Amino acid sequence: MLPVNGTNSAFSTFLVTGLPGLESVHIWISIPFCAMFLFTLMGNVSIMTIIWQEETLHVPMYTFLAMLAFSDLGLSFFTFPTMLRIFWMDARELTFSACFTQMFFIHTFQDFESAIILAMAFDRYVAISHPLHYSSTLTNSVIAKIGLAIVVRTLSVQVPLPLLLRRLCFCHSNILSHSYCLHPDIIKLSCSDTRINSIFGLFVVLSTMGLDFLLILLSYVLILNTVLRIASHSGRLKALNTCISHLCAVILFFTPMICLSMLHRFGPRLPSHIYVTMANMHFLIPPVMNPIVYVVKTKQMQDKILKFFTKKTSEKPKVTFIT
């Protein structure tokens, strides 16, 4: 790893923050967060396992769902444990290298999730607008190329971020405003010239999540245009019903981020724990809720989940008596 420019830095570590003003009840707050983390692990691992084992689910829609579950797991592994360490042990210190590494993986999985949600929007567009060409359009090789493109795009914009941070000096403060390390939060603490970091950080956000959001909106405009041309009312409802799970994933992922940006730029000055809570919603709620949404709204996933767990509980050890 490249060394951090610590020559003129007044600190050697960063301090992450819990929920400001609620430090006295951190141990109680940890209970729902711990439950959310365990549920995230159980829900997303179950979805990935079932899709892997069931050949009938080896179709584009569920392949993308497995990719979404994987990105949710990655995001959870780099956010929840740090928060629980703060709540349980008041362990707030992170070295520069540890902080930059956490930041890299959080933003990487965040971009993965955004791109996968875009790929799922394309899947819904092809399924509704060109149903006869669905299988020939979204072949296994095409899905593999989409996955590779997501990885290449994400890494090409995320790898430079920690490298650019290592040239900075930190002398204003070492207290971060969130429970984990985020790029905008880190550069605020620098006493060096951060124009390159800020410009490149803005470029990354606009070229990944910003572009993805616009393309998702475009895909739904095209989907709605197709749906409105369907003659029967029941046909229109059936077509729209196939998009509900994906729309929920879009809302869960993008709404907190957009609201937080609007509050920072145009809203009144609110207590700091409001901003921290909004950020937590963006990073923590989608991994918890996505498995619930897709199981509740997708009949095929419901059946496979029930079959999977029923099979597990019905497998009892057999006792053989020797006579």
Side-chain angles (χ1 to χ4, degrees):
M1 299 182 77
L2 293 175
V4 180
N5 184 4
T7 307
N8 297 316
S9 294
F11 313 98
S12 59
T13 60
F14 289 118
L15 296 178
V16 289
T17 305
L19 294 179
L22 301 175
E23 289 81 3
S24 60
V25 290
H26 269 179
I27 193 65
W28 297 107
I29 295 173
S30 71
I31 296 173
F33 279 95
C34 185
M36 288 166 65
F37 184 44
L38 293 175
F39 185 85
T40 298
L41 296 181
M42 183 180 69
N44 287 291
V45 169
S46 297
I47 284 177
M48 292 172 64
T49 303
I50 290 165
I51 292 173
W52 176 269
Q53 291 182 350
E54 294 287 342
E55 289 189 11
T56 56
L57 299 181
H58 293 176
V59 295
M61 174 181 171
Y62 293 107
T63 302
F64 288 132
L65 178 57
M67 293 166 65
L68 183 68
F70 174 77
S71 68
D72 281 337
L73 278 177
L75 201 55
S76 299
F77 272 121
F78 287 96
T79 50
F80 276 110
T82 306
M83 297 185 71
L84 293 176
R85 282 177 68 242
I86 297 170
F87 294 152
W88 288 340
M89 299 177 289
D90 196 31
R92 299 174 55 202
E93 271 196 330
L94 286 175
T95 63
F96 286 169
S97 294
C99 189
F100 296 163
T101 301
Q102 185 190 47
M103 179 210 74
F104 169 76
F105 282 107
I106 287 176
H107 290 309
T108 294
F109 282 108
Q110 183 185 27
D111 283 357
F112 278 162
E113 183 141 349
S114 175
I116 292 165
I117 291 173
L118 172 61
M120 296 172 88
F122 178 65
D123 169 80
R124 291 299 83 208
Y125 164 70
V126 176
I128 292 173
S129 299
H130 305 284
L132 298 179
H133 302 286
Y134 182 74
S135 298
S136 59
T137 301
L138 288 172
T139 61
N140 289 336
S141 63
V142 170
I143 293 172
K145 289 174 183 176
I146 290 173
L148 180 61
I150 289 172
V151 172
V152 170
R153 185 194 76 165
T154 300
L155 294 181
S156 64
V157 296
Q158 289 299 333
V159 167
L161 287 180
L163 300 180
L164 288 172
L165 284 175
R166 290 181 177 279
R167 68 185 183 83
L168 302 180
C169 299
F170 299 93
C171 51
H172 289 160
S173 173
N174 69 332
I175 302 175
L176 297 168
S177 58
H178 295 283
S179 304
Y180 27 77
C181 298
L182 302 176
H183 183 259
D185 211 12
I186 294 172
I187 61 176
K188 286 179 184 177
L189 303 182
S190 175
C191 48
S192 306
D193 185 354
T194 60
R195 280 178 295 180
I196 294 175
N197 301 76
S198 298
I199 292 169
F200 186 73
L202 180 62
F203 166 76
V204 170
V205 171
L206 293 178
S207 64
T208 55
M209 290 181 288
L211 179 61
D212 292 346
F213 184 66
L214 292 177
L215 292 175
I216 290 168
L217 288 180
L218 175 61
S219 71
Y220 272 100
V221 169
L222 297 175
I223 287 171
L224 192 59
N225 184 49
T226 301
V227 169
L228 291 176
R229 293 205 303 265
I230 297 174
S232 66
H233 179 68
S234 60
R236 289 195 293 269
L237 288 178
K238 185 178 179 181
L240 288 174
N241 192 52
T242 64
C243 298
I244 289 178
S245 300
H246 180 257
L247 276 171
C248 290
V250 173
I251 292 168
L252 287 169
F253 183 78
F254 286 101
T255 302
M257 180 180 67
I258 293 170
C259 291
L260 188 61
S261 298
M262 296 293 285
L263 280 175
H264 271 303
R265 285 162 178 77
F266 308 112
R269 186 62 192 169
L270 298 172
S272 57
H273 66 266
I274 300 294
Y275 298 101
V276 173
T277 302
M278 292 292 291
N280 287 341
M281 286 177 63
H282 172 62
F283 288 107
L284 308 181
I285 297 300
V288 177
M289 293 302 299
N290 283 336
I292 297 174
V293 168
Y294 274 92
V295 170
V296 169
K297 295 302 298 180
T298 311
K299 183 67 166 63
Q300 202 170 0
M301 278 302 300
Q302 285 181 28
D303 295 340
K304 299 301 181 184
I305 288 275
L306 289 173
K307 177 183 174 183
F308 178 78
F309 285 106
T310 303
K311 182 180 177 182
K312 290 291 183 183
T313 55
S314 63
E315 289 177 352
K316 296 180 181 179
K318 295 180 180 179
V319 180
T320 304
F321 295 95
I322 301 175
T323 58

